[in-house]
Amino acid sequence: MKKQLLIACIAFLSFTTIPFISQAQTIKISGEVSTPLTIDAAYLQKFTQTTVVRKDRDGKDHTYSGVILSEILKNAGVTLGPELKGENLTKYLLVEASDGYQVIFALAELDKSFTDRTIILADKVDGAPLAPADGPYRIIVQDEKKPARCIKQVTAMQVHFVK
Amino acid sequence: MHQLKHNPLLSRQSLRKGRVMFLLLIFVIVSGWCYVDGGIETGPYNLVYPANFGNRIQIPADNPTTKQGVYLGRMLFYETKLSANNKLSCSSCHQQDKAFTDGRAFSPGVDGVLTPRNSMSLVNLLWARRLFWDGRANGLEEQAVTPLTNPHEMGQALSISAQRLSQTANYPVLFKLVYGDEKITGDKIVKALSQFERTLISANSHYDQYLRGAYQPTPDELKGIELFNTAPQPEKGIRGANCSHCHGGPKTYMELFHNNGLDSLPKDSGIEKLTALATDRGRFKVPTLRNVALTAPYMHDGRFKTLDEVIDHYSEHIEQSPALSSFLRGESNEAGGKSLKLNSIEKKQLIAFLNMLTDSAFITNPAFSDPHILSTKNKKH
C-alpha cells in the first residue's frame, strides 16, 4: 500500500514538474480583440501557409514560411477588412519578443485592402524550423529595407488604440 | 517609605527631573514640528530630464511624484530601521559615490548570507519598466518589496517596518504630510521609496554634454563613440564593437534581456527560472552603462572586476550555446570570424568612451545623499 502511495506521489510530482522542464513557446494575443488567444505551433498549422522571400543579415535570400499575420488577428476578432475605418485606423499592433524588444505596426499596414505587402508570422526558414535564437516564431515583413521589424522570438501581440 | 515621601530634597529632585523631562519633551515636539513644517517643500515634483531621453516614463497613476513624497522616500532609502538587524538600509547596497552600487560581486544581508546576484545601479529608473536582473518586477513599487522583506537582504516584514516607523517621532508626521494620514503601511513605504528612486536621474555626463554640443571629446573618445555605435562589416572594411545594439540611444539603455555568452552551461539560468524556456537560459537584463566606470564588478554575478575584462569578454571570450543571443553570433571584425576581435587600441578607445558616461554631478548631488547624516554627524565624528 505504501509502495503504491509512493508511486502515486512520484507520478503526481512528475506530472507537475514536466511543464516546468520543457515548456513550449506560445504567443499571447490580447488588447482590443474580441477573442484573446494563446496560440502555438499546432494552431498555426490550421491556416494556409504563405511564403515570403527576403534577405537576412548574411545578405542572402531566404524563404520564410508561416501565416499571414492579419489572418491570425482576424481570428482574435481584430477590426480588419471592412471594419478598418474611422477610429479603428488609430489602432496599432504591438509585437513583443522574449528579450523585451518591441515593434509596432499600424493595423492598416497589415490589411490586404490597404497593401499588397505581405507580413507573416513565420515558423520556418528554408523549410526548417527557425533557429532557437530566432524562433520559434518571427515576424517577416516583405520588402522592408531594414530587418528591425522582423522581430524574433515573438511572445506576445497586443492591439491598442493610440491614446 | 513614609520618610522618603516627605523628604524635601528628594521631592525637589523629582520635581527638577520632571521639569527637565517636560522641557525636553517641548523641545522635541517643537523641533519635530519645525523639522517637518519648516524644511519640507510640498507640491508636485518636477522631474527634469533632457528631451532626447524621451517621455516613455513610468509613473503609476496611484503614486504621483510629490516633493514631500520624494523627501520621505529619501529618508526611507537611508533608514536602517527598515532592516531586521537595524544596520542595513537600501543605501547599504546602493551607495551614491558608486553610482548606487556597492562595489561587491554579491551583497551580505541581515543574516550575512550573500545575495545570489550583483546589486544593480540605481539610475534613470524613471524609464525602467521591468526591474531585477530577470525583469520579474513590473515597476519600482513591486521591486522594492523584495530587498526589504527577503530574509537574506533586509529581512523584515513590511508590517513590522511600518510598526517600527510608527513608533518614531518624525515618521508619522511625515507620512501624514505625504499621504494625508498618519497611518504607516508597507504600501506607503514602497511608494515613497519609488518616488525618490524616480528622481535619480543622471543626464550630465561628458557624453550628455557632447550630445548637446557643450563638450568636445578627445580623439580617443570620439573613436570610442564611433566603435560603440557601429556594427562590424569586415567585407566593407568597417570596424565596430556593436555595443549600441543593446546600450544605444542617449540613455545608453534599452530594456532588453540577453544571453551574452558568459557560459556555455550557466550556473545561474536567469530568466529560464521564470519561463521554463530553454531559449531563456542564461538570459539577463542588459544593464545601463551610466556611470559604468563606478559600478564594478560587472555582470549579474560580478565576475569581471574591470572594464578591460568586460571588453575582452565581448571581443574574444563569447561562449557559444543554444541560448546565445543571435546578434552575438558570428559578429566579427574579421571576415568569417567567430568573435568580435577588437585590437588593443580600439579597446582603449571604447573605454575612453565608457569613462565619458561618468556623471560627477549625479554622484555628488546633495539631493540624493543621506539626509540622516546631518543629525548624526556629531555622533559619528
Side-chain angles (χ1 to χ4, degrees), chain B residues 137-339:
Chain B
N138 292 313
L140 286 166
E141 285 78 359
E142 194 183 319
Q143 185 278 334
V145 179
T146 297
L148 285 166
T149 59
N150 186 301
H152 306 310
E153 293 190 55
M154 292 165 77
Q156 185 164 279
L158 285 174
S159 55
I160 296 174
S161 292
Q163 199 184 336
R164 291 186 66 189
L165 296 180
S166 305
Q167 287 156 0
T168 62
N170 56 339
Y171 277 113
V173 193
L174 270 174
F175 274 80
K176 184 168 188 191
L177 190 68
V178 178
Y179 300 107
D181 178 358
E182 274 192 8
K183 190 171 164 49
I184 300 178
T185 64
D187 182 54
K188 289 177 185 172
I189 292 173
V190 298
K191 277 183 172 159
L193 278 168
S194 307
Q195 286 194 39
F196 169 64
E197 288 178 296
R198 290 195 175 89
T199 68
L200 301 174
I201 296 171
S202 169
N204 197 27
S205 65
H206 275 170
Y207 182 56
D208 298 293
Q209 292 165 17
Y210 158 69
L211 291 177
R212 60 173 191 258
Y215 174 80
Q216 176 55 46
T218 66
D220 270 355
E221 287 171 344
L222 271 179
K223 196 72 193 150
I225 294 171
E226 188 188 321
L227 285 164
F228 186 90
N229 288 310
T230 307
Q233 294 181 72
E235 62 285 355
K236 290 184 186 166
I238 297 170
R239 295 188 64 87
N242 207 22
C243 312
S244 64
H245 188 96
C246 291
H247 299 284
K251 295 197 293 289
T252 69
Y253 170 78
M254 286 188 272
E255 203 152 272
L256 296 174
F257 296 81
H258 280 299
N259 176 322
N260 61 345
L262 290 172
D263 307 288
S264 52
L265 285 168
K267 265 191 224 162
D268 183 341
S269 62
I271 292 177
E272 187 191 20
K273 282 180 192 163
L274 307 177
T275 63
L277 292 170
T279 46
D280 283 340
R281 185 164 300 165
R283 184 179 258 181
F284 294 95
K285 182 166 180 161
V286 174
T288 176
L289 296 187
R290 285 274 152 189
N291 301 296
V292 70
L294 307 173
T295 63
Y298 304 103
M299 305 292 151
H300 66 278
D301 54 6
R303 68 176 67 189
F304 298 135
K305 292 184 177 62
T306 63
L307 286 173
D308 296 272
E309 286 178 51
V310 174
I311 291 180
D312 285 348
H313 165 73
Y314 286 110
S315 182
E316 285 109 32
H317 306 305
I318 295 276
E319 291 282 348
Q320 301 290 319
S321 73
L324 174 65
S325 288
S326 62
F327 72 95
L328 289 167
R329 292 168 189 270
E331 199 70 39
S332 181
N333 283 292
E334 291 175 358
K338 288 265 182 253
S339 60

Side-chain angles (χ1 to χ4, degrees), chain A:
Chain A
M1 186 63 192
K2 268 185 183 172
K3 210 174 181 182
Q4 280 172 326
L5 193 70
L6 189 72
I7 290 167
C9 279
I10 291 170
F12 177 74
L13 278 177
S14 57
F15 258 114
T16 53
T17 50
I18 281 169
F20 297 103
I21 293 166
S22 61
Q23 194 151 315
Q25 180 72 68
T26 55
I27 302 177
K28 278 188 182 158
I29 304 178
S30 60
E32 299 284 343
V33 299
S34 58
T35 317
L37 297 174
T38 299
I39 63 172
D40 58 12
Y43 186 89
L44 291 180
Q45 291 314 307
K46 295 177 186 167
F47 295 85
T48 309
Q49 305 296 303
T50 303
T51 57
V52 170
V53 177
R54 71 159 287 144
K55 282 191 184 5
D56 201 4
R57 280 189 341 147
D58 58 9
K60 293 174 191 154
D61 279 342
H62 292 280
T63 305
Y64 294 90
S65 64
V67 178
I68 291 177
L69 196 48
S70 58
E71 294 300 315
I72 300 168
L73 295 178
K74 267 182 205 160
N75 268 25
V78 176
T79 51
L80 289 157
E83 289 180 306
L84 190 50
K85 59 188 175 187
E87 68 170 12
N88 288 341
L89 283 168
T90 66
K91 280 181 190 165
Y92 61 91
L93 175 74
L94 171 70
V95 188
E96 297 183 313
S98 58
D99 66 358
Y101 189 65
Q102 297 174 316
V103 295
I104 65 165
F105 297 91
L107 284 192
E109 284 185 276
L110 306 170
D111 195 277
K112 270 234 166 299
S113 53
F114 282 83
T115 175
D116 287 329
R117 185 168 72 163
T118 306
I119 300 178
I120 62 168
L121 181 70
D123 59 355
K124 287 193 178 67
V125 57
D126 302 325
L130 292 166
D134 294 352
Y137 316 110
R138 180 182 179 185
I139 298 278
I140 297 294
V141 189
Q142 188 181 38
D143 300 333
E144 192 144 277
K145 285 186 189 171
K146 279 190 162 200
R149 292 205 297 178
C150 294
I151 176 171
K152 299 170 175 178
Q153 296 188 324
V154 175
T155 54
M157 296 196 270
Q158 298 169 33
V159 179
H160 296 296
F161 272 117
V162 167
K163 281 185 183 156

